[in-house]
Amino acid sequence: PKAPYPAESFAAREQGTVLLRVQTTPAGRPTIVEVKQSSGYSRLDRSAVETVRKWQFKPTPDDGTEVGREVPIGFAIIH
């Protein structure tokens, strides 16, 4: 699912892309989700992090190692 646009951010016309660094288990569950590059707005960053923590990623070979991924989450007000 997409990250929800915080109502306050939408009203303030805040836009941007959050680049997240995500560590996942071989089963595809996130273990660490952190902001690598901020959108410039803490509400957008927080919405992205909270959403991606709930995601299920594609599983990887089960050798017990976690996988690092970079995930961009964009927030744009489209007319």
Side-chain angles (χ1 to χ4, degrees):
K2 290 177 117 178
Y5 218 121
E8 301 88 357
S9 293
F10 189 83
R13 318 257 326 139
E14 297 172 348
Q15 302 182 80
T17 299
V18 184
L19 183 60
L20 301 176
R21 182 180 301 124
V22 182
Q23 288 289 119
T24 61
T25 66
R29 298 300 306 164
T31 56
I32 298 171
V33 179
E34 58 190 15
V35 176
K36 180 175 181 180
Q37 183 176 351
S38 174
S39 65
Y41 301 101
S42 61
R43 287 184 289 244
L44 298 181
D45 295 351
R46 191 169 34 256
S47 178
V49 168
E50 290 172 1
T51 298
V52 172
R53 280 187 180 142
K54 299 173 188 172
W55 282 6
Q56 172 69 44
F57 290 85
K58 185 176 180 179
T60 58
D62 192 10
D63 63 1
T65 58
E66 292 195 350
V67 175
R69 308 163 189 262
E70 288 187 357
V71 179
I73 304 290
F75 294 90
I77 298 171
I78 300 172
H79 301 322

